[in-house]
Structure formats: structure tokens, C-alpha cells
């Protein structure tokens, strides 16, 4: 009853805030403000602490980095891959050669022209980076044809590879001269942050805020919005209030379920929804500790109430997932399996806990300290207590969790989210389950199975859609048996922004400031 009353109070407070937002605010820009002088303020969960794409964490931080960089290809408002820095591209009939013809006259913010040598250098950086090398596992190398042409040679065809090249997290184009000039200090100061993108970094407080100015020489044309301030708002409820009062004009993160309906009905705010690529999961350390025993992992699979997780974590706004990629929107290569995961069976779970010799033993759940993770951890704690385990919860600051849990594997069981940069099963399964992806790259359960690796590698080069789906179906059967993680849910994706702004709804999910204009 006490918990229910707390939620009623929270809902009531948010409702009052929203109701009051129809009144004028001293923070809100007036309609008469000249568009050329008006600053767009964007809230994100975390501004980056480094602009070196290939040597830093790529989570929410990538939103602040990606505004100054470009990629060879990009996504349009229909989700189709189209040329960007590459004027055109061709893929050989055998799928083993990608040829990119670059735009001429494109300039970095340091004044130097973007050429094939920069593209090759950037791809070589991606190939070497522990954060991105797994995306390039099928790439043999990059060669320069001439100043404006490069070729990517593949070890094997990979039908999902072009998807990686659309995302700056995996394929930002850097200035070779700038990276070599600044060395280890590249991306650590304003002057060392060099890109070809629509905006130029003018001020930066690492982890706190970025101030951008439109690139008047941008090769696609100068952005409509000339001044931008992006700042960290880690508390989602504080971000919603800031959006309502006009303190920020846009919020680059999903609106939580508890505030969903209120924000959608707010007078001064637009909200657009879309199928999310963010996968909430329980990760299990399959390499060391108690969960190296598959019986204990299977016990957890029988015990976790995933519908309850969705209800509490996203207010039911989303869908329970049976495996990574089993989301509401279309995912290339998804075999669309149904009823493939474990049903709730506490008695079976208790038996497996006894067989694993863990009855009455203590385990520790590690998770982020921000919503909705503590609530999800409480549910997991309750679920596992019912099957004979003693359970403790350790809430961690984000950077500490990433370092200890995701990068070093210092955990037993944890709750987090895996955000896909593409809508292709290759990234989603290879990135989270392949041996080559163990650790910071995305396989956070430290899971390794040669049979899984073989299927995922074969699926990469399979060009027949149905055959590819069958390979992924076989991989999911192994996943279900081995239980390297507990699939929880995909929440609804959403973005909220001021009605003073205009954007094609198809572009909202990409978080590109240049897609916005003042109304």
C-alpha cells in the first residue's frame, strides 16, 4: 500500500507540473525572437567527456559527438541508406568489394579538405578500436583508389555491413591530420575536435554541456538553426519539467511510461513515438562466478517475471522480448519466433538452484542507480528470493558500472540496456553474443560458444533472406538453451520537442540537430 501511495503522489506531482505549463514562463523564448539569434537548447542524459569516437564510451554520449562528424552513408527519413560524404557507392555482385566515390570540396572544421586518405585512416581506426572492431570483423581492409575514391575489401560478404557505416558510433570520418597532430589529446579540447559535420564545437564542459555553431560551409548546406546548446540532464523527470517550462527545446531520450500520456497531451510539446532499438536485459556472467553454471542461469530464466518488468520499467509502454532483436519494429533478418522463451515456473527454478548447489547462497545484482534500473533490480531481487537465493542489490554510478561490469566483467548478475545502432540482426546478435564482442564491444555476459560463433559468421555472408533467418533461428535456439542473458523488453521509443520546432517525423529517432528548424 505504501508503494502504491508513493506512485500516486509522483503521478499527481507530474500532472500538476504539466497542468501549469500552459502559463507563460520567463524561461520560454518569445515568438518574436529572431530565428537567426535564437539558441536551440537540447537536453540529453550525458554529454560526452571525449570527442574521440574510437577511444571512448559510445552511449548517450554519442549524441553530443555526432553533431560535428559525418559518415560515408546515412539514413533518410524513410530509413533507407543513402549517400552522405560518399557521393555514390557500389557493391560488387559477389558482395566482397564496396567502392565509395567521395564528394569533392568537403572541408573539415580545420579548413583541410576531406579526402580518401582521411576515409581510410578513419576506417583503420575503427578496425583497431576495441569499441568498434567487431563491426568490421568481415572487413579485410581499405585501399585508396585515388584522392576521392576508396575500396573496402571484405573477407566474406556481409549484408548488414552497410548499416554500420550509417552510424557515427561505428564509422565517424576523422581528419587524419588532426588526430596525428593532437595524438592522445585528440578530442579532449575544443580546438582538437575536428569534423566535417553540420556543426562546429565552440564551447565544451566535459560531461556537462556543449555549445555549437552552424557550419556555414557545410557541404549539404548550412543548418537552419545556427546556435545550439546541449546539456546533461541525467534525471528524466527534471528533463521533462525543463521541456515544459521552455528551459530546453528538445529532449534526446525516451519519455518514461509514467509521464508518457501527460507529455503527449501537453500544450507546448510535440511527442513522436517509434519502435525502439533499445533492449532491456538481465546479464549473467557466464565466465566466472555462480552463473558460469548453466543450470543456475536456466533457473533465473524460469523465475523472472518479464511482464512485471515491462509494467514497472516502462509502465507497459513497449513489448516483452523473447530474444535480442525481437522488437516491435521490423528488424532485418529477424525470424520472428514466438513463444521461444521460458515460461514462469518457480518449482522448476527451485529444483535447478538445488542442483547447482546454490540454495541459500548470496548473489549480488549490480545495476545503474538511475531509473528505471533500481525498480527493475527490486523485481529481480524478489523473483530470485522466491527460488531459494539470497539477493543483494548494488546500485552504481554509470561510469563505474560501465568500467566494472561491462568492460571488466566484475559482476555476477546485472540489469542494463543494449542500444542497437542499426536495425539488423547481425549487429544485434553478433554484437551481443559473439566471442569477438566480449567485453566493452557489447557481449557483456562474457559468453562464448563456438557453435553460436559459426552460425553468426555464416549468417553475415548469407544473401538469401529466408536462409539468413533460419540461421538466426538456429542461433536463438542455442541462446535459449545457454541463457547468457534474460531478455526483458523493448520500450516504446519517443522524442519530445517544443512546438516551436519542425522536423520530419521520420528523422526524429536519429537525434540529428540539423534535421530541426524553427517553426
Amino acid at each position: 500500500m505504501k508503494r502504491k501511495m508513493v506512485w500516486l503522489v509522483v503521478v499527481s506531482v507530474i500532472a500538476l507540473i504539466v497542468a501549469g505549463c500552459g502559463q507563460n514562463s520567463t524561461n520560454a523564448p518569445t515568438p518574436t525572437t529572431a530565428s537567426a539569434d535564437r539558441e536551440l537548447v537540447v537536453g540529453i542524459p550525458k554529454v560526452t567527456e571525449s570527442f574521440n569516437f574510437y577511444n571512448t564510451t559510445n552511449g548517450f554520449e554519442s549524441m553530443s559527438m555526432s553533431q560535428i562528424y559525418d559518415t560515408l552513408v546515412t539514413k533518410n527519413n524513410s530509413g533507407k541508406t543513402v549517400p552522405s560524404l560518399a557521393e555514390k557507392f557500389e557493391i560488387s555482385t559477389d558482395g566482397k568489394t564496396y567502392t565509395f566515390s567521395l564528394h569533392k570540396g568537403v572541408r573539415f572544421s580545420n579548413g583541410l579538405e576531406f579526402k580518401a586518405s582521411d576515409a581510410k585512416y578513419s576506417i583503420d581506426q575503427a578496425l583497431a578500436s576495441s569499441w568498434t572492431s567487431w563491426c568490421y570483423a568481415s572487413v579485410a581492409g581499405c585501399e585508396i583508389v585515388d584522392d576521392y575514391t576508396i575500396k573496402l575489401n571484405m573477407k566474406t560478404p556481409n549484408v548488414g555491413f552497410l548499416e554500420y557505416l550509417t552510424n557515427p558510433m561505428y564509422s565517424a570520418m576523422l581528419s587524419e591530420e588532426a588526430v596525428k597532430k593532437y595524438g592522445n589529446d585528440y578530442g579532449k579540447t575544443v580546438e582538437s575536435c575536428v569534423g566535417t559535420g553540420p556543426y562546429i564545437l565552440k564551447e565544451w564542459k566535459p560531461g556537462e554541456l556543449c555549445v555549437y555553431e552552424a557550419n556555414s560551409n557545410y557541404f549539404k548546406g548550412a543548418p537552419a538553426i545556427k546556435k545550439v546548446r546541449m546539456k546533461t540532464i541525467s534525471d528524466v523527470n527534471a528533463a521533462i519539467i525543463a521541456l515544459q517550462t521552455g528551459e530546453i527545446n528538445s529532449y534526446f531520450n525516451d519519455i518514461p511510461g509514467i509521464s508518457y500520456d501527460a507529455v503527449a497531451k501537453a500544450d507546448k510539446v510535440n511527442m513522436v513515438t517509434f519502435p525502439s532499438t533499445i533492449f532491456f536485459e538481465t546479464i549473467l556472467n557466464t565466465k566466472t562466478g555462480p552463473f558460469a553454471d548453466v543450470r543456475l542461469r536456466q533457473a533465473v530464466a524460469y523465475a523472472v517475471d518479464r511482464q512485471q518488468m515491462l509494467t514497472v520499467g516502462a509502465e507497459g509502454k513497449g513489448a516483452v522480448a523473447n530474444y535480442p532483436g525481437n522488437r516491435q519494429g521490423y528488424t532485418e533478418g529477424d525470424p520472428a519466433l514466438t513463444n521461444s522463451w521460458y515460461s514462469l515456473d518457480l518449482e522448476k527454478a527451485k529444483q535447478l538452484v538445488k542442483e547447482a548447489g546454490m540454495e541459500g547462497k548470496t548473489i549480488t545484482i549490480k545495476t545503474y542507480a538511475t531509473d528505471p534500473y533500481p525498480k527493475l533490480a527490486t523485481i529481480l531481487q524478489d523473483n530470485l528470493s522466491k527460488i531459494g537465493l539470497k539477493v543483494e542489490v548494488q546500485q552504481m554510478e554509470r561510469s563505474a558500472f560501465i568500467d566494472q561490469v561491462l568492460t571488466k566483467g566484475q559482476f555476477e548478475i546485472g540489469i542494463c540496456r543494449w542500444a542497437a545502432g542499426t536495425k539488423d540482426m547481425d549487429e544485434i546478435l553478433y554484437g551481443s553474443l559473439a566471442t569477438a564482442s566480449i567485453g566493452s564491444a557489447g557481449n557483456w555476459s562474457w559468453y562464448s560458444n563456438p557453435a553460436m560463433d559459426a552460425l553468426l559468421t555464416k549468417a553475415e555472408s548469407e544473401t538469401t533472406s529466408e536462409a539468413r533467418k533460419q540461421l538466426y533461428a538456429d542461433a536463438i535456439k542455442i541462446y535459449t538453451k545457454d541463457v547468457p542473458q534474460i531478455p526483458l523488453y523493448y520500450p516504446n521509443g519517443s522524442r519530445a520537442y517544443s512546438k516551436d520546432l519542425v522536423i520530419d517525423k521520420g528523422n526524429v529517432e536519429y537525434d540529428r540537430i540539423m534535421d530541426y528548424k524553427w517553426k
Side-chain angles (χ1 to χ4, degrees):
M1 177 63 72
K2 183 179 290 186
R3 180 178 298 174
K4 185 175 180 181
M5 287 301 296
V6 169
W7 278 107
L8 286 171
V9 170
V10 171
V11 172
S12 299
V13 169
I14 291 175
L16 287 170
I17 290 168
V18 172
C21 289
Q23 300 173 9
N24 291 330
S25 168
T26 56
N27 293 324
T30 62
T32 57
T33 303
S35 293
D37 297 327
R38 188 171 178 183
E39 182 180 62
L40 172 68
V41 183
V42 179
I44 67 171
K46 182 67 181 292
V47 163
T48 188
E49 295 186 359
S50 170
F51 274 81
N52 188 341
F53 245 119
Y54 298 118
N55 289 285
T56 191
T57 303
N58 268 331
F60 290 120
E61 295 87 347
S62 66
M63 297 174 188
S64 42
M65 289 189 275
S66 61
Q67 311 308 325
I68 73 167
Y69 291 108
D70 268 310
T71 49
L72 295 173
V73 291
T74 190
K75 291 285 190 180
N76 66 11
N77 57 8
S78 299
K80 182 180 179 182
T81 299
V82 295
S84 186
L85 281 172
E87 188 176 36
K88 62 180 181 179
F89 61 92
E90 297 176 356
I91 304 174
S92 62
T93 53
D94 63 2
K96 297 184 72 174
T97 304
Y98 290 66
T99 303
F100 296 91
S101 300
L102 309 180
H103 277 285
K104 296 179 180 179
V106 176
R107 298 281 171 181
F108 285 103
S109 53
N110 63 3
L112 296 180
E113 187 178 11
F114 170 70
K115 291 188 176 181
S117 56
D118 298 297
K120 173 177 166 50
Y121 181 79
S122 301
I123 290 167
D124 288 345
Q125 291 286 302
L127 281 162
S129 169
S130 62
W131 299 100
T132 56
S133 58
W134 62 273
C135 301
Y136 291 78
S138 56
V139 177
C142 177
E143 64 176 285
I144 297 172
V145 177
D146 56 44
D147 277 352
Y148 301 101
T149 311
I150 62 167
K151 282 187 178 181
L152 277 176
N153 299 309
M154 312 293 285
K155 300 172 188 174
T156 58
N158 182 345
V159 295
F161 178 66
L162 203 61
E163 286 278 320
Y164 293 130
L165 297 183
T166 67
N167 194 317
M169 287 197 298
Y170 307 136
S171 59
M173 292 291 105
L174 310 177
S175 164
E176 179 180 11
E177 190 275 342
V179 177
K180 289 182 175 179
K181 175 182 176 181
Y182 293 102
N184 291 333
D185 291 327
Y186 177 79
K188 294 182 179 179
T189 61
V190 170
E191 60 272 11
S192 69
C193 300
V194 178
T196 61
Y199 287 92
I200 298 171
L201 186 66
K202 304 301 289 186
E203 181 185 344
W204 172 38
K205 292 181 181 179
E208 296 181 29
L209 68 84
C210 292
V211 177
Y212 307 93
E213 182 180 277
N215 182 356
S216 58
N217 297 315
Y218 187 50
F219 75 103
K220 295 181 184 178
I225 294 177
K226 307 303 180 186
K227 298 178 181 180
V228 179
R229 180 179 299 267
M230 183 177 282
K231 64 181 185 177
T232 294
I233 306 181
S234 56
D235 185 329
V236 67
N237 291 320
I240 291 171
I241 294 170
L243 184 65
Q244 298 284 359
T245 61
E247 181 184 339
I248 63 174
N249 308 106
S250 186
Y251 180 48
F252 286 3
N253 192 19
D254 295 330
I255 300 299
I258 193 171
S259 307
Y260 198 89
D261 293 336
V263 174
K265 296 174 182 177
D267 290 339
K268 295 183 178 181
V269 178
N270 285 318
M271 190 168 77
V272 175
T273 61
F274 50 87
S276 178
T277 58
I278 294 174
F279 174 62
F280 279 77
E281 60 181 336
T282 296
I283 53 176
L284 304 157
N285 192 328
T286 64
K287 185 178 180 181
T288 61
F291 293 101
D293 188 329
V294 68
R295 292 172 298 182
L296 192 59
R297 302 200 301 270
Q298 290 173 344
V300 177
Y302 280 118
V304 173
D305 187 337
R306 298 178 303 136
Q307 184 60 52
Q308 187 184 15
M309 291 282 196
L310 174 64
T311 300
V312 172
E315 290 292 304
K317 301 293 195 299
V320 168
N322 291 311
Y323 51 86
N326 180 218
R327 66 190 196 97
Q328 296 174 86
Y330 176 76
T331 301
E332 187 66 40
D334 180 16
L337 303 181
T338 57
N339 302 317
S340 62
W341 194 248
Y342 296 72
S343 56
L344 282 172
D345 190 333
L346 295 183
E347 293 306 311
K348 180 66 175 176
K350 289 177 184 177
Q351 182 60 38
L352 286 166
V353 169
K354 288 181 181 179
E355 291 177 12
M358 285 297 294
E359 189 175 21
K361 299 292 180 64
T362 300
I363 62 167
T364 300
I365 301 168
K366 291 186 177 182
T367 193
Y368 297 114
T370 54
D371 280 342
Y373 303 100
K375 292 182 289 187
L376 298 177
T378 298
I379 295 172
L380 181 60
Q381 181 182 36
D382 180 63
N383 291 166
L384 299 187
S385 296
K386 291 177 180 177
I387 62 172
L389 295 169
K390 293 183 179 179
V391 188
E392 297 177 353
V393 175
Q394 182 180 349
Q395 297 180 28
M396 304 176 69
E397 190 272 329
R398 185 169 181 270
S399 61
F401 183 86
I402 291 173
D403 177 58
Q404 292 182 30
V405 177
L406 306 187
T407 304
K408 297 176 180 176
Q410 297 172 351
F411 77 105
E412 296 173 334
I413 183 171
I415 297 179
C416 59
R417 53 170 238 163
W418 202 99
T422 72
K423 298 171 184 176
D424 192 285
M425 291 296 283
D426 177 51
E427 179 200 7
I428 296 169
L429 291 189
Y430 193 94
S432 60
L433 299 175
T435 300
S437 303
I438 283 177
S440 59
N443 182 345
W444 300 326
S445 292
W446 295 69
Y447 169 70
S448 181
N449 184 330
M452 175 69 78
D453 291 341
L455 284 169
L456 297 182
T457 300
K458 188 175 181 181
E460 281 187 337
S461 58
E462 178 56 65
T463 57
T464 304
S465 177
E466 289 308 310
R468 189 171 183 238
K469 288 180 180 179
Q470 184 57 55
L471 289 167
Y472 286 130
D474 293 341
I476 291 165
K477 289 178 182 177
I478 296 175
Y479 168 85
T480 305
K481 178 183 177 182
D482 287 354
V483 195
Q485 53 186 222
I486 309 298
L488 299 180
Y489 61 88
Y490 278 92
N492 290 343
S494 59
R495 291 293 183 268
Y497 56 93
S498 167
K499 289 186 176 178
D500 289 341
L501 291 168
V502 177
I503 182 173
D504 187 302
K505 291 183 178 180
N507 286 327
V508 167
E509 64 181 294
Y510 302 125
D511 299 319
R512 297 181 302 222
I513 295 171
M514 69 167 294
D515 291 332
Y516 288 86
K517 297 178 181 178
W518 292 117
K519 189 172 182 180

